[in-house]
Amino acid sequence: MKNFVISVIAVLFLSLTCQGSIDSFIVNRYRQIVKLIETGNAKELSKLIAYPVKRENPLPDITSAAEFVSYYKILFDKVFKDQLKQYNDNIIFQHNGDYGLVGGGLNGEIWINEKGKIIAINYSSAEEQQLKQALKAKIKKEMHPDVKDWKENRLVARSEKLLIRIDETEKGVRYSCWSKGKKMIDQPDIVLYNGIEEMHGSQGGWSWTFKSGDWTYVVDNVQICGDTEECGLFLRLLLKGQDHSVIKLREIK
């Protein structure tokens, strides 16, 4: 989703807590990761990743080791490898059980979990940004004129009966919705502007809130929950501030 990745990271860093010491397993794993990137060993590095690797919308996520190896040279360019030369063990930070590289010129470009698996790559090379812009242009040509103008896409999702987009536009955050059977080239059934975008604390998750008369539309991306049924992507409809219905969504970009 973002890309608001930059926004996510900026907020996340504000809440980072530096630990007095980092487990030797994590330190050694980061040394291994840095070495593999420096030497261009994409095949071995692909074994140390918790898939999927999220990419900025509308770029597709990396869902397998084979895709990672194929995409490796786009993902890690010379600019990033030069940044990585500033790595040292003291810039590993722990946050909510995960570990990121923050400091010495690095700003959370890589995060791993307690098992030593890479869970986020927040760096985006110039070549990847070119691919992103080309894909954005292609998608806009396939959209209805009413909604083809947007700066960044936040989300594309489906339910059994709905197709939903959330975009950042010149007029603010926009919600567009098509009913079952329609495509984005068709005129949307609902278009709402002036959405409010909120992050669910430092552990991730987002919500987007839109209003239309007595109705409130909340697209809720819940990443931390006590019950697995409560996690995921939802469209919550409220009438005059009271819960009306909840629709489960599936992110499709």
Side-chain angles (χ1 to χ4, degrees):
M1 296 171 197
K2 160 146 258 131
N3 181 54
F4 67 108
V5 167
I6 294 176
S7 300
V8 174
I9 298 305
V11 173
L12 188 59
F13 290 168
L14 292 176
S15 60
L16 282 170
T17 303
C18 181
Q19 304 298 308
S21 62
I22 301 295
D23 187 89
S24 60
F25 168 74
I26 297 298
V27 172
N28 289 331
R29 177 51 55 87
Y30 258 123
R31 290 175 181 173
Q32 180 185 11
I33 289 170
V34 170
K35 185 67 174 179
L36 290 173
I37 294 174
E38 287 178 341
T39 58
N41 195 334
K43 185 175 181 180
E44 287 302 311
L45 188 60
S46 71
K47 300 174 184 178
L48 304 180
I49 294 175
Y51 296 97
V53 179
K54 292 286 187 179
R55 306 316 299 149
E56 296 179 12
N57 284 7
L59 292 168
D61 296 335
I62 302 169
T63 61
S64 68
E67 289 181 5
F68 178 84
V69 171
S70 177
Y71 202 69
Y72 176 83
K73 289 185 178 179
I74 295 174
L75 202 58
F76 297 127
D77 60 1
K78 183 180 183 301
V79 174
F80 180 71
K81 289 182 178 180
D82 286 343
Q83 282 183 261
L84 208 56
K85 291 177 181 178
Q86 301 178 66
Y87 168 81
N88 66 76
D89 297 341
N90 294 324
I91 67 171
I92 301 174
F93 279 80
Q94 182 181 17
H95 178 71
N96 291 329
D98 298 325
Y99 302 84
L101 299 183
V102 184
L106 293 166
N107 295 300
E109 283 82 357
I110 298 178
W111 286 84
I112 67 176
N113 60 21
E114 60 184 3
K115 296 180 180 179
K117 293 283 190 177
I118 296 174
I119 57 171
I121 299 173
N122 295 317
Y123 177 77
S124 184
S125 68
E127 184 174 357
E128 186 177 50
Q129 286 300 306
Q130 289 177 356
L131 291 175
K132 175 184 173 181
Q133 295 306 316
L135 185 54
K136 284 172 65 175
K138 179 178 182 296
I139 291 171
K140 288 179 179 182
K141 289 180 180 179
E142 299 169 352
M143 295 182 66
H144 190 273
D146 286 356
V147 290
K148 71 176 183 179
D149 293 327
W150 45 275
K151 296 190 294 183
E152 296 292 341
N153 173 246
R154 296 292 190 243
L155 178 74
V156 181
R158 280 190 183 278
S159 71
E160 184 179 345
K161 297 181 179 180
L162 300 174
L163 171 61
I164 291 170
R165 280 187 67 96
I166 296 177
D167 296 298
E168 179 187 344
T169 76
E170 294 291 346
K171 298 179 182 179
V173 181
R174 181 182 68 203
Y175 171 94
S176 307
C177 180
W178 294 260
S179 55
K180 185 176 182 179
K182 291 186 177 181
K183 299 180 180 180
M184 291 184 194
I185 193 66
D186 300 317
Q187 186 170 21
D189 297 287
I190 300 174
V191 178
L192 303 174
Y193 285 91
N194 300 315
I196 298 173
E197 184 177 52
E198 297 177 287
M199 186 178 184
H200 297 169
S202 60
Q203 295 191 45
W206 290 81
S207 65
W208 297 269
T209 303
F210 303 85
K211 291 186 178 293
S212 177
D214 291 335
W215 288 94
T216 301
Y217 298 72
V218 181
V219 178
D220 207 4
N221 181 7
V222 182
Q223 297 181 6
I224 304 296
C225 55
D227 186 335
T228 54
E229 291 297 317
E230 298 174 355
C231 271
L233 192 60
F234 304 91
L235 171 61
R236 307 184 192 278
L237 300 179
L238 294 83
L239 179 59
K240 296 182 178 180
Q242 301 298 313
D243 291 338
H244 181 273
S245 58
V246 178
I247 300 169
K248 180 78 172 181
L249 301 174
R250 175 174 57 89
E251 184 175 1
I252 60 171
K253 284 203 174 184

